[in-house]
Amino acid sequence: MVLAGCLAASLAGLTACGGGTAAHAPASTGVEAALARVLPAGDLTGFYRARGFRPLWVEAGTLRPEARQLAAILAQADSDNLPPARYRLADLQHAMAAARGGNAEALAQAEWRLSQAFAAYVRDLHQPSEAAQTVFVDPGAAPARLGPAQLLDEAARAPSLAAHLQAVRHMNPVYEGLRTALAAAAGDAEQARLIRANMERARAIPADPGPRFILVDTAGARLWLYEKGRAVDTMKVVVGKRAMATPSMAALVRFAVVNPYWNVPPDLVRDKIAPRILAGDADYLKRERLELVSDWSDHPEPLDAALADWSAIAAGIDRPHVRQLPGGRNMMGRVKFMFPNQLGIYLHDTPDRQLFALADRRRSSGCVRVEDARRLARWLFNGRDVTAAATAAPEQRVDLPAPVPVYIAYFTALPSAGTIARQPDAYGRDPRLIALLESRRAG
């Protein structure tokens, strides 16, 4: 997604994918032979062997200008929250200086160091940090993870290596805004630390997320709709309370469910429903349109609530399946937007409209309640209003014309109108992430 498929060509507008090769002059046999001798065993060997050890960074017995371009990019790696020392920049610069005389062995040494540094930098730039704790529940929403040989092959196939070096630095719009803000925050250490932490979170969004995607920011409790790299709409959302925080995750919205059931979380059955029934509220289930069922399958068997052991349920010993029927005060509202995942998280409508007037909208059990589900549905379905179902039948599945990526992130600093908007760290995630990044920079 990020680099595969001729990233440089697509971003720089240079050529269509599939077949372009860089016009490199043949290298001297001496450099090829030297490269075959000095190249350490590892991931780079396959790339060079496949091209007969023809160098990428050497041409006509000297280092190409793109070698100096790469060294300059690596020297500024800190602007991407990546320590230049990680790429052994001093050793690389020494090898490049030694290669100026045209010695084949020295050119080969500089060649493999350049390729090693390039592959490591591009991988680090586009690979999400584990410290950001993003769960990729759908492989289709994850950034591509290319190995060194693949990254070098992309570079070798680019019509212009210089343009490719610039293109690989392209990132998603949130990251780009944070990168610009980091450069402007050079004199403010606290602001810089906060921006760096949020850059790591933004790295989880692919450089090219596709023509359309959804971004949910749980720190600000807001959703954005993006088209062609630009936010075209936004709305408030209600996200998980601190004790049931909405996780950072990436997925693909694949279908909507109109007139959904609400599968009541077990803790709510234990803490709210069971006590009401044990207190003698015999009509509670009927009044709230709740029913016990055998399981969460598409066609569960209904169970007699009078036969349930509500004392065991209140004690957490029994964990029954309870769902709320569609319509009326159903907690899912009119529609929910599904991206299949093991975490049980999705976007959905809600009857509790008053929550959107609150400044602190962390009130859910983890799912994301959207302010205008009908507007979101029209955007997802290219203008079609699937919420206006012809029948009242429950659980009507409507597949999207094409899956749409959704990125649920947590930004305590976010680009806004040319500046940075700081948001409360309601989930308390900043200190640990900042400490990890500071440790990495110090090491």
Side-chain angles (χ1 to χ4, degrees):
M1 290 175 61
V2 180
L3 297 171
C6 302
L7 169 75
S10 63
L11 294 178
L14 296 170
T15 186
C17 289
T21 55
H24 301 319
S28 70
T29 303
V31 175
E32 293 174 356
L35 185 57
R37 289 194 302 272
V38 305
L39 190 67
D43 293 332
L44 303 185
T45 307
F47 166 74
Y48 280 106
R49 182 177 291 115
R51 51 193 278 117
F53 291 95
R54 180 164 55 93
L56 176 62
W57 308 96
V58 175
E59 186 174 82
T62 188
L63 289 176
R64 300 177 63 187
E66 290 86 351
R68 293 187 295 275
Q69 181 185 355
L70 174 59
I73 290 173
L74 296 174
Q76 298 298 317
D78 192 56
S79 65
D80 285 300
N81 210 20
L82 302 171
R86 178 177 174 83
Y87 311 107
R88 303 182 66 177
L89 184 58
D91 290 343
L92 174 61
Q93 290 170 332
H94 179 76
M96 290 173 62
R100 290 190 187 124
N103 175 270
E105 197 86 7
L107 286 167
Q109 289 281 353
E111 168 73 25
W112 79 259
R113 287 188 181 276
L114 284 160
S115 289
Q116 185 181 54
F118 168 79
Y121 169 74
V122 176
R123 180 193 60 220
D124 291 347
L125 181 62
H126 293 277
Q127 182 172 292
S129 169
E130 291 183 5
Q133 298 179 314
T134 298
V135 181
F136 294 93
V137 298
D138 192 315
R145 291 180 179 268
L146 303 184
Q150 294 169 296
L151 293 171
L152 287 166
D153 188 59
E154 289 268 332
R157 288 169 54 84
S160 166
L161 181 57
H164 184 79
L165 288 175
Q166 290 302 317
V168 294
R169 297 196 71 241
H170 171 84
M171 298 291 280
N172 65 71
V174 176
Y175 185 98
E176 293 279 7
L178 289 168
R179 177 197 269 160
T180 300
L182 180 63
D188 188 336
E190 179 187 359
Q191 179 86 330
R193 282 193 293 270
L194 184 64
I195 292 172
R196 288 179 185 278
N198 285 277
M199 287 175 70
E200 290 302 303
R201 292 167 176 147
R203 209 187 298 280
I205 304 174
D208 181 9
R212 306 167 82 228
F213 70 94
I214 299 170
L215 173 64
V216 176
D217 170 35
T218 56
R222 183 164 285 276
L223 174 153
W224 282 268
L225 305 178
Y226 276 81
E227 294 180 3
K228 298 179 180 179
R230 184 175 64 88
V232 296
D233 198 0
T234 185
M235 65 182 70
K236 297 175 181 177
V237 294
V238 174
V239 296
K241 60 193 74 169
R242 180 159 185 163
M244 304 179 75
T246 302
S248 294
M249 58 190 292
L252 293 174
V253 182
R254 295 184 178 275
F255 61 95
V257 176
V258 181
N259 296 333
Y261 291 106
W262 176 41
N263 297 331
V264 185
D267 62 315
L268 296 183
V269 177
R270 180 193 65 211
D271 298 337
K272 294 189 175 182
I273 297 176
R276 295 293 295 267
I277 295 174
L278 290 173
D281 191 347
D283 293 330
Y284 182 76
L285 294 180
K286 181 178 180 181
R287 190 170 64 251
E288 297 297 325
R289 295 174 56 80
L290 298 168
E291 64 177 7
L292 270 69
V293 292
S294 58
D295 51 56
W296 294 139
S297 65
D298 291 339
H299 303 287
E301 295 182 13
L303 303 177
D304 187 348
L307 300 179
D309 186 346
W310 290 101
S311 295
I313 294 170
I317 299 172
D318 288 353
R319 295 167 62 89
H321 298 85
V322 178
R323 70 182 183 184
Q324 187 179 40
L325 299 174
R329 294 285 299 168
N330 181 282
M331 292 301 293
M332 295 292 101
R334 183 69 164 158
V335 61
K336 61 181 179 180
F337 306 96
M338 301 299 292
F339 34 99
N341 64 89
Q342 297 288 333
L343 303 176
I345 301 297
Y346 38 83
L347 311 179
H348 67 84
D349 190 14
T350 177
D352 292 335
R353 312 306 304 169
Q354 73 279 3
L355 295 179
F356 296 107
L358 301 176
D360 183 357
R361 295 188 294 278
R362 280 161 285 273
R363 303 299 176 108
S364 82
S365 297
C367 283
V368 178
R369 307 177 193 177
V370 299
E371 182 180 23
D372 194 335
R374 193 169 191 174
R375 193 165 91 228
L376 176 57
R378 283 198 297 267
W379 183 82
L380 283 169
F381 287 89
N382 301 319
R384 178 186 172 197
D385 186 3
V386 298
T387 65
T391 71
E395 295 284 307
Q396 299 177 53
R397 172 171 171 155
V398 188
D399 290 328
L400 267 67
V404 174
V406 55
Y407 300 97
I408 300 179
Y410 183 77
F411 292 117
T412 53
L414 198 61
S416 176
T419 185
I420 287 294
R422 297 183 65 161
Q423 304 185 134
D425 182 18
Y427 290 163
R429 295 175 179 172
D430 277 354
R432 178 176 180 272
L433 178 55
I434 290 173
L436 285 171
L437 295 178
E438 289 294 301
S439 175
R440 186 175 77 181
R441 288 169 58 80

